Amino acid sequence: MFDLTPSVDITVDSFDVNLGAGTGTQVPVDVYWRAGTVQGNQNNATGWTLLGSATVVAQGPDTATSVPIGGLGMASGQTYGIYIRVSNTFGQGSIRYTNSSDPPPTTSNGQLALRSFYGHQNEGAGNPLLSGSFFYPRQFNGTVYYHLGITPAVTCASEGYTGAKLTWCQNICEKGYTGATLDMWIHRWVNRYRDLPYCAREGNEEPPPQEG
């Protein structure tokens, strides 16, 4: 759990996290957000909104795993709380963090400031959101990717793909697959559709995301 405070208008595109699961494990991840700080709301589900859910492919402990959840516009000078969690840890590990100082430090690249606060124990199946124990102070192990301005992020769904085409596009663009697995899906796509999905077209990429 951490706060984001931009000094310019931005849109969050995605995150990197540090997962405890072994390389290649498929892990279900949720991202929640709230207007205002995490602090004081770490065990209060009121005001939290689900930004999105994705099943990601773990890259192994202490290696960045991409979480393709975004589209959250943030206004300059406002603070937003972020809660990233593994939604079902049975056999899939957890999100790793670092013990921190009290008060937790703020890191900034001049456009976006990040202040970590809490780690949260998995609530377990059937328990309400944010009902488990939390740990303070903890530092987020990860990266926030964003672009300048409050504009929608391009996704497979926003490109109008449906059915199998949507699933295949997500496997190529949004699941974090690499190496032979990514190559397999690209070859399948080209063989069936005779083109490339939006994220793989030369000259049609989105502007490089910023990191915070």
Side-chain angles (χ1 to χ4, degrees):
M1 296 180 123
F2 53 91
D3 281 353
L4 294 176
T5 306
S7 59
V8 293
D9 290 351
I10 66 167
T11 301
V12 173
D13 295 315
S14 63
F15 303 87
D16 283 345
V17 297
N18 180 3
L19 292 176
T23 304
T25 304
Q26 294 197 3
V27 180
V29 177
D30 297 330
V31 178
Y32 288 84
W33 74 280
R34 64 174 293 111
T37 181
V38 164
Q39 197 164 28
N41 295 289
Q42 65 273 13
N43 251 26
N44 175 19
T46 302
W48 289 96
T49 299
L50 179 66
L51 179 61
S53 302
T55 298
V56 304
V57 180
Q59 301 301 302
D62 301 323
T63 302
T65 294
S66 175
V67 177
I69 297 173
L72 178 60
M74 294 185 170
S76 174
Q78 302 300 307
T79 295
Y80 301 82
I82 302 293
Y83 174 30
I84 305 178
R85 70 166 191 163
V86 172
S87 57
N88 182 350
T89 61
F90 296 110
Q92 286 123 339
S94 59
I95 293 178
R96 296 162 65 93
Y97 48 66
T98 300
N99 292 344
S100 184
S101 59
D102 185 10
T106 297
T107 58
S108 175
N109 64 359
Q111 294 178 339
L112 181 62
L114 185 155
R115 189 180 190 194
S116 297
F117 286 99
Y118 302 100
H120 217 286
Q121 184 176 350
N122 176 57
E123 296 91 18
N127 287 337
L129 181 71
L130 298 171
S131 62
S133 302
F134 60 87
F135 308 97
Y136 172 92
R138 299 292 187 268
Q139 189 76 22
F140 173 55
N141 286 178
T143 304
V144 180
Y145 296 93
Y146 64 91
H147 64 266
L148 298 180
I150 299 178
T151 56
V154 177
T155 65
C156 294
S158 73
E159 287 292 284
Y161 300 142
T162 59
K165 200 169 189 179
L166 174 62
T167 300
W168 288 20
C169 175
Q170 290 170 335
N171 287 340
I172 295 168
C173 301
E174 299 175 3
K175 288 291 184 69
Y177 292 133
T178 59
T181 301
L182 178 60
D183 289 343
M184 175 194 71
W185 283 111
I186 290 176
H187 283 118
R188 285 188 180 184
W189 180 283
V190 171
N191 288 338
R192 174 173 288 192
Y193 301 116
R194 304 299 178 185
D195 62 5
L196 287 168
Y198 77 92
C199 66
R201 295 177 196 148
E202 249 185 72
N204 195 35
E205 293 89 354
E206 286 295 291
Q210 307 294 314
E211 297 183 12

